[in-house]
Amino acid sequence: MTKIVVKMENIVTRFGENLVHDDVSLSVREGEIYGLLGGSGSGKSTLLREMIMLLKPDSGSVTVLDTDVLNLSAREAETIRIKWGVLFQSGALYTSLTIAENIGIGLKEYTDIPVELRDDIVRAKISMVGLPEYAAGLYPSELSGGMVKRASLARALAMDPSILFLDEPTSGLDPVGAEAFDKLILALRDSLGFTVVMVTHDLDSIWTIVDRFCVLGDRKVIAEGILDDVMQIDHPVIHNFFKGNRGAIRSKAQYGK
Amino acid sequence: MKENNKKAKVDLVSKADHSLLTCTGEWSLHSITDAAKKLKTAIRQVPDQSRIILDISSVSELDSAGTILLLQFINAAERSMNEIDIVGANKKHQIMFKMYKDQIHDKPTKKRIDNILTRLLIKTGKTTLSSLNEVILFVAFLGESVTALLFYIRHPSSIRFGAIAKNIEEAGIRALPIVALTSFLIGVVIAYQSAVQLEKFGANIFIVDMIGISVTRELAPLITAIVVAGRSGSSYTAQIGVMKLTEEIDAMKTMGFNPFRFLVLPRMIALMIAMPLMIFLADIMGIAGGMLISKLQLNLSFSEFIQRLQNVVDTKHLWVGLIKGPVFAWLIATVGCFRGFQVSYNTESIGRYTTISVVNAIFLVIASDAIFSIIFTELGI
Ligand SMILES: Nc1ncnc2c1ncn2[C@@H]1O[C@H](COP(=O)(O)OP(=O)(O)O)[C@@H](O)[C@H]1O
Ligand SMILES: [Mg+2]
């Protein structure tokens, strides 16, 4: 069996009266592209934030790369944090730094490699995510939405992470841009071999690049597995998702039902 | 942390017809610093136009940083006409090389300008040009605010009385306690210092002239302007700056709301109305402070003080102080709004421009006060 890199067990999350997760468990395998699905407000982003130590669940356990991330010393936390890259929903680039500085900041703070090597790594990452060379000297406010996503992907990849966390990477992109972005993530995963955990609403992404996924709804995990298996489950949320107007077209094309 | 034996290492051996570079260890981001230095010296040791064999068969791990470092070396070697062969690359290594090869080729890293003198000249030139540019922008801003004002005068119904009233409350009425307290304390300080000197000459009664004139002519307007610059000038910059960051200003423009008419003029007019009134309060409080100290320190009763005040202090002094009010207000509001519009789309610039705005406003207030002094003296007022 392949190694499990992210494991969440019996997660309960509550914001005041609002119970968001009630006994949620899931596991992500090494090297796969794992999708977190669910309607708006179903707690996908919250779950992602719990994986990357931005939020503590009220109960349950979170294990990332064999480390229990809920009980870490500051030093251990720092060691594990540089093993993952995060792409936030809005990009979250540092607005007062250029794109090149944004990408290089992790390398600058956490390693002591020579400056020329750092510059070259930054340049390689910029071209790897498909940004033009001149983007290096621009500030985030001078980029288009798609370019911001690419730049923050480059920043997330700067340190060669073992896991890449993406929160709705294709939201806000046009369909062509979204497809290109999906392909880019797939190609990078194939060559660099990292694991991807992505929050998404985008049916196209689920069909084209996601290997396995889970569907959140009613505060629980309704289904987890590969597309074919999840499609078999009879549940209103899954029904709405895959057999609603937009989903139906795809389902028909793929499954002839 | 990584142990030493895992660190990336390079060994250079010179053979009869080639140089053999053997790479071992973990070639990853956190363990290649030494190898990077070693490779740099190696490229100098290897004779030009010779053959190099790069053996990477015992490289245990190779990440992007390691790959790019090796590619840098290969490029450098090729630049000095060496023939370079890579041996022992496994599948993973090949994938990494292939991925980064096209992205790293030739283009040498940008030259850094090292000469201090050149850097100084470049910096001086850039600063001069940008200061010049700022002056031009400021003049353009003034022009635009005058145009908007003319529009107001031609279309009085478009004056935003509600916004003006709100700004008078925010910038004027809410500032009264701090203006009152500050000017009272200034009155106390001035009276205290003068009392000691005047007592020596037995000229106690002259403290009234001194306080009366200095507070009304100079101190009250200046203190009020400085408090207002710190309070309202900065908040104008921050408010408009945030509106610019959140694209509210752009939204206003597209909906046909001229930002000058909606944001700048209400603030400017409100401050110009409120400032003379605030100065008047500051006059009263400053004199009250002086009066209190005169009584405590010089045994000058309140009635004596007020009687002398009426007899010797001309009302023209009061008017001179009040007249400065609208001018100071205009400067503070204009600079505050101008700097707000200069905020660019990043979070740091709000803080920077807010600071600049306050510093500029206080400077302009003091500079214009000096000009007022000269004009009034020349006119014999
Ligand atoms: N910091 C917070 N404080 C209070 N409630 C929150 C917070 N973050 C998220 N929530 C609530 O948790 C629920 C799930 O939010 P989120 O994880 O952002 O959903 P989504 O699946 O759309 O990403 C929502 O009802 C939201 O209102
Ligand atoms: Mg979300």
Side-chain angles (χ1 to χ4, degrees):
Chain A
M1 223 189 120
T2 31
K3 212 178 124 193
I4 303 291
V5 288
V6 179
K7 193 168 184 62
M8 300 189 90
E9 280 177 307
N10 314 109
I11 297 294
V12 177
T13 313
R14 206 178 265 116
F15 292 109
E17 291 288 288
N18 182 5
L19 180 64
V20 181
H21 303 128
D22 182 11
D23 197 18
V24 166
S25 303
L26 56 85
S27 50
V28 180
R29 298 175 189 161
E30 186 167 33
E32 73 180 356
I33 298 184
Y34 186 91
L36 284 171
L37 260 78
S40 186
S42 58
K44 307 177 297 286
S45 299
T46 306
L47 211 53
L48 193 77
R49 290 165 66 82
E50 287 168 353
M51 292 182 198
I52 56 180
M53 302 196 291
L54 289 178
L55 192 73
K56 272 204 171 162
D58 292 86
S59 71
S61 72
V62 183
T63 315
V64 180
L65 296 169
D66 300 323
T67 312
D68 171 11
V69 298
L70 298 182
N71 303 297
L72 287 184
S73 68
R75 229 186 122 72
E76 289 166 327
E78 189 172 300
T79 319
I80 185 139
R81 277 199 174 107
I82 59 179
K83 289 187 192 159
W84 64 52
V86 184
L87 174 65
F88 289 93
Q89 207 165 342
S90 59
L93 292 170
Y94 302 118
T95 51
S96 49
L97 303 180
T98 62
I99 299 308
E101 287 165 347
N102 259 288
I103 298 171
I105 190 161
L107 296 168
K108 189 173 168 191
E109 295 301 321
Y110 289 110
T111 71
D112 46 8
I113 54 172
V115 183
E116 311 90 67
L117 181 58
R118 191 170 79 216
D119 288 350
D120 266 351
I121 293 176
V122 168
R123 213 141 47 79
K125 301 285 170 180
I126 286 177
S127 93
M128 198 161 89
V129 298
L131 283 175
E133 250 188 72
Y134 68 80
L138 298 181
Y139 286 90
S141 58
E142 297 164 329
L143 299 187
S144 71
M147 287 166 91
V148 167
K149 294 261 173 174
R150 283 171 190 269
S152 34
L153 179 64
R155 184 179 69 179
L157 290 174
M159 309 266 292
D160 277 25
S162 347
I163 311 182
L164 190 60
F165 293 98
L166 312 169
D167 194 352
E168 303 201 17
T170 54
S171 72
L173 298 184
D174 62 286
V176 179
E179 194 185 331
F181 201 82
D182 276 348
K183 282 198 176 135
L184 174 64
I185 289 171
L186 189 62
L188 290 172
R189 192 276 311 256
D190 289 345
S191 43
L192 294 173
F194 46 73
T195 309
V196 178
V197 179
M198 65 192 275
V199 170
T200 183
H201 298 298
D202 191 339
L203 285 168
D204 287 315
S205 307
I206 297 157
W207 257 281
T208 50
I209 70 163
V210 167
D211 297 318
R212 255 168 25 95
F213 63 96
C214 76
V215 183
L216 292 178
D218 298 340
R219 312 185 179 105
K220 295 186 187 303
V221 173
I222 294 170
E224 189 184 20
I226 60 169
L227 186 61
D228 288 342
D229 295 343
V230 173
M231 292 284 285
Q232 305 306 322
I233 292 171
D234 193 24
H235 189 284
V237 173
I238 297 191
H239 197 271
N240 285 342
F241 222 93
F242 294 99
K243 293 168 187 144
N245 280 339
R246 279 152 53 97
I249 302 169
R250 270 287 192 166
S251 309
K252 278 208 189 85
Q254 204 106 357
Y255 293 91
K257 329 185 197 174
Chain B
M1 291 285 105
K2 301 267 180 317
E3 293 127 45
N4 262 354
N5 55 5
K6 279 191 182 167
K7 278 213 161 129
K9 284 209 187 82
V10 199
D11 281 315
L12 175 62
V13 184
S14 298
K15 301 266 168 96
D17 61 339
H18 68 270
S19 320
L20 177 65
L21 274 158
T22 318
C23 305
T24 52
E26 218 172 72
W27 284 63
S28 63
L29 194 49
H30 298 281
S31 50
I32 53 168
T33 311
D34 295 342
K37 288 181 195 134
K38 191 82 196 286
L39 277 181
K40 231 180 187 172
T41 48
I43 193 71
R44 272 184 254 122
Q45 287 164 2
V46 174
D48 285 2
Q49 302 175 13
S50 70
R51 199 170 122 85
I52 302 173
I53 294 180
L54 189 63
D55 181 1
I56 57 171
S57 56
S58 3
V59 168
S60 59
E61 204 169 292
L62 186 67
D63 72 353
S64 308
T67 314
I68 291 171
L69 179 61
L70 287 174
L71 284 167
Q72 277 186 340
F73 175 78
I74 294 167
N75 284 334
E78 280 172 353
R79 266 202 298 279
S80 29
M81 303 303 193
N82 293 303
E83 192 185 317
I84 184 156
D85 286 317
I86 303 151
V87 296
N90 65 23
K91 189 119 185 296
K92 169 104 201 288
H93 297 164
Q94 280 167 9
I95 292 176
M96 292 299 278
F97 272 109
K98 200 163 146 256
M99 196 158 76
Y100 285 110
K101 208 160 130 197
D102 300 332
Q103 282 148 10
I104 284 306
H105 60 109
D106 52 9
K107 193 182 175 210
T109 21
K110 208 170 59 189
K111 268 227 173 82
R112 282 161 204 277
I113 299 164
D114 284 330
N115 190 328
I116 286 189
L117 199 65
T118 326
R119 275 217 306 259
L120 186 74
L121 281 176
I122 291 175
K123 185 124 187 145
T124 314
K126 277 189 178 159
T127 316
T128 312
L129 282 181
S130 74
S131 316
L132 219 62
N133 196 28
E134 267 191 11
V135 173
I136 294 170
L137 283 176
F138 188 66
V139 173
F141 186 87
L142 284 182
E144 220 169 319
S145 63
V146 170
T147 324
L149 194 63
L150 289 180
F151 183 90
Y152 257 18
I153 292 167
R154 274 187 51 206
H155 307 268
S157 61
S158 72
I159 299 179
R160 312 203 26 93
F161 292 106
I164 293 176
K166 204 174 131 246
N167 276 304
I168 290 182
E169 186 194 344
E170 187 49 50
I173 297 173
R174 284 176 203 268
L176 289 182
I178 184 71
V179 167
L181 182 63
T182 323
S183 41
F184 182 82
L185 291 178
I186 288 289
V188 167
V189 170
I190 297 293
Y192 218 81
Q193 292 301 322
S194 340
V196 177
Q197 304 301 326
L198 290 173
E199 219 174 5
K200 283 185 196 160
F201 299 106
N204 292 8
I205 193 68
F206 284 101
I207 193 151
V208 181
D209 311 42
M210 178 134 200
I211 299 280
I213 295 176
S214 65
V215 166
T216 51
R217 262 187 99 108
E218 293 293 339
L219 294 174
L222 266 185
I223 293 301
T224 312
I226 288 170
V227 169
V228 168
R231 238 184 127 264
S232 305
S234 60
S235 87
Y236 290 175
T237 309
Q239 283 167 0
I240 293 179
V242 170
M243 291 183 78
K244 206 174 158 199
L245 273 186
T246 53
E247 297 185 327
E248 278 174 68
I249 305 258
D250 292 342
M252 289 178 71
K253 282 185 191 156
T254 56
M255 294 170 75
F257 304 139
N258 180 335
F260 273 88
R261 251 180 287 143
F262 280 75
L263 299 177
V264 179
L265 284 187
R267 289 178 166 76
M268 201 182 269
I269 292 172
L271 213 52
M272 286 171 80
I273 293 173
M275 190 79 126
L277 302 175
M278 292 156 87
I279 292 177
F280 189 69
L281 177 75
D283 286 338
I284 295 172
M285 295 307 291
I287 290 172
M291 205 154 79
L292 182 71
I293 296 304
S294 308
K295 179 164 168 70
L296 295 180
Q297 208 57 27
L298 302 173
N299 282 324
L300 200 64
S301 76
F302 289 162
S303 52
E304 272 178 294
F305 191 102
I306 289 175
Q307 203 171 17
R308 169 107 189 145
L309 195 66
Q310 276 175 336
N311 289 340
V312 298
V313 181
D314 228 334
T315 37
K316 78 172 183 195
H317 298 302
L318 183 75
W319 286 115
V320 164
L322 291 181
I323 281 248
K324 293 175 181 174
V327 178
F328 290 171
W330 178 71
L331 287 171
I332 293 168
T334 312
V335 170
C337 295
F338 171 65
R339 294 300 184 187
F341 281 106
Q342 277 191 315
V343 166
S344 53
Y345 294 92
N346 74 61
T347 40
E348 214 171 80
S349 69
I350 289 200
R352 197 172 60 240
Y353 281 112
T354 309
T355 314
I356 295 180
S357 147
V358 175
V359 172
N360 285 171
I362 291 178
F363 169 76
L364 285 177
V365 162
I366 291 176
S368 64
D369 192 51
I371 296 174
F372 269 124
S373 285
I374 296 171
I375 293 175
F376 287 138
T377 313
E378 290 297 313
L379 290 179
I381 300 173

